[in-house]
Structures are given as C-alpha cells and as structure tokens.
Amino acid sequence: ACGAAMNATSPPGRWPNMRIANLHLRNFRGHQNLDLPLAPVTIITGPNGSGKSSIQQALEWLLSGCCSCTNERGQGPVAYAGARECSVTARLPNSGTITRSNPGGLSCSWAPNHKRPEVAIAQELGCDGSQARLALNAARYFRMSAADRKGLLYDLLGLHLSADQRS
C-alpha cells in the first residue's frame, strides 16, 4: 500500500528539517526532462496545464509510491505519454539522492543495498510515506477521523499515545 507506515522511529523535531535541494523529473506526467533547483521556500507559478500539479504529484509519488493519478497500490498513468519508463529523483543537501523509477522501484544513494529503502528514507527524512502524503495533500488530513489526526500529530512530535488515549 502507498505510504504505509514504515515503523521507523524518527527523533522529535526532525520533520521540519527535511530539505530537498533539487528535484529531477524524467518522463513524469507532462514533464519529459525537468531539473528544478529548490530553495528553502520555493513558489511555483504558471498557467493552467503548465505542470505545477505534476511537480507536487512527483514529490508525493517519490516519497510514498502513490499520488492523485494512481490508485492506492501505486498503479496508474505516471509516465509521460508514450514513454516506457519514468523517474523522479530528489537530492538532499547532506544525504544523497532518493530515486523512484517505473519500472525499477525505490532506491536511496546512502543505503544502496538496503532491503527496504523506504525505511532508510523514513529514518533520514524523519517521516514515512504516509506522513509525506499528508503534508503534500492537506485535504487528506481533514478527511481523517479526529482520533487518527490526533495520533498523527503525536507521531510527528515524537510523543506516544496508548490505544485509549487516541480516541
């Protein structure tokens, strides 16, 4: 499942420090070859149909395996029309790169032989795929139950709740 919990323990306060310095899309949605340097705050503007949403979808797909154009198993039309393969790569300033390709799957440069690269990535970024999906799609957060929202916020802060405290 997309963005499934990775059981990675992230230290409190780590999530806000996640930084992506560069994003590269190859044959992803409407982008054949996009190299996008990212500042600490980057605002992307453009007319309708110029690919702004595809950049958000690329980040979501990279970090969770799903986006709004896929189903919950990550299957859907992410490749540029007619392309047989696509990839999204993010460069992290102090860690290396994360790449998801179709076909090919997920990999990270600092743990190339890791059996579950999503775990290594969650530990490095301080969030797992489901948390990244929520950050990139605020509407998902508001569709969650109050108990699930509370649990997510506690998880992001590194606090622990017992099962009866979650309700």
Side-chain angles (χ1 to χ4, degrees):
C2 297
M6 311 298 179
N7 295 325
T9 305
S10 53
R14 186 79 193 274
W15 168 252
N17 296 324
M18 182 176 93
R19 168 126 158 59
I20 296 173
N22 184 279
L23 189 65
H24 184 81
L25 283 62
R26 187 178 58 79
N27 293 332
F28 187 87
R29 305 280 294 154
H31 298 283
Q32 284 184 299
N33 189 23
L34 174 68
D35 193 46
L36 184 63
L38 299 171
V41 175
T42 301
I43 298 171
I44 299 171
T45 62
N48 289 345
S50 63
K52 301 177 304 290
S53 295
S54 293
I55 293 168
Q56 178 271 331
Q57 291 169 339
L59 275 170
E60 186 178 358
W61 184 70
L62 171 68
L63 297 174
S64 73
C66 292
C67 64
S68 60
C69 57
T70 69
N71 63 23
E72 287 300 314
R73 293 190 341 219
Q75 300 168 327
V78 294
Y80 185 81
R84 293 183 182 263
E85 56 187 49
C86 66
S87 65
V88 176
T89 300
R91 185 176 53 79
L92 309 177
N94 300 315
S95 306
T97 60
I98 302 168
T99 300
R100 185 177 296 272
S101 55
N102 183 9
L106 182 66
S107 65
C108 59
S109 62
W110 64 90
N113 298 319
H114 203 290
K115 290 181 181 174
R116 294 194 53 217
E118 66 273 11
V119 173
I121 292 166
Q123 289 171 338
E124 181 63 28
L125 297 180
C127 72
D128 65 26
S130 61
Q131 293 165 335
R133 286 193 83 194
L134 286 170
L136 292 164
N137 287 292
R140 287 180 158 283
Y141 175 80
F142 293 106
R143 288 193 301 260
M144 295 172 71
S145 71
D148 287 343
R149 286 195 307 261
K150 182 179 179 181
L152 174 70
L153 291 173
Y154 272 67
D155 287 346
L156 288 172
L157 294 170
L159 304 172
H160 301 282
L161 286 174
S162 66
D164 34 316
Q165 287 176 310
R166 286 188 179 257
S167 50

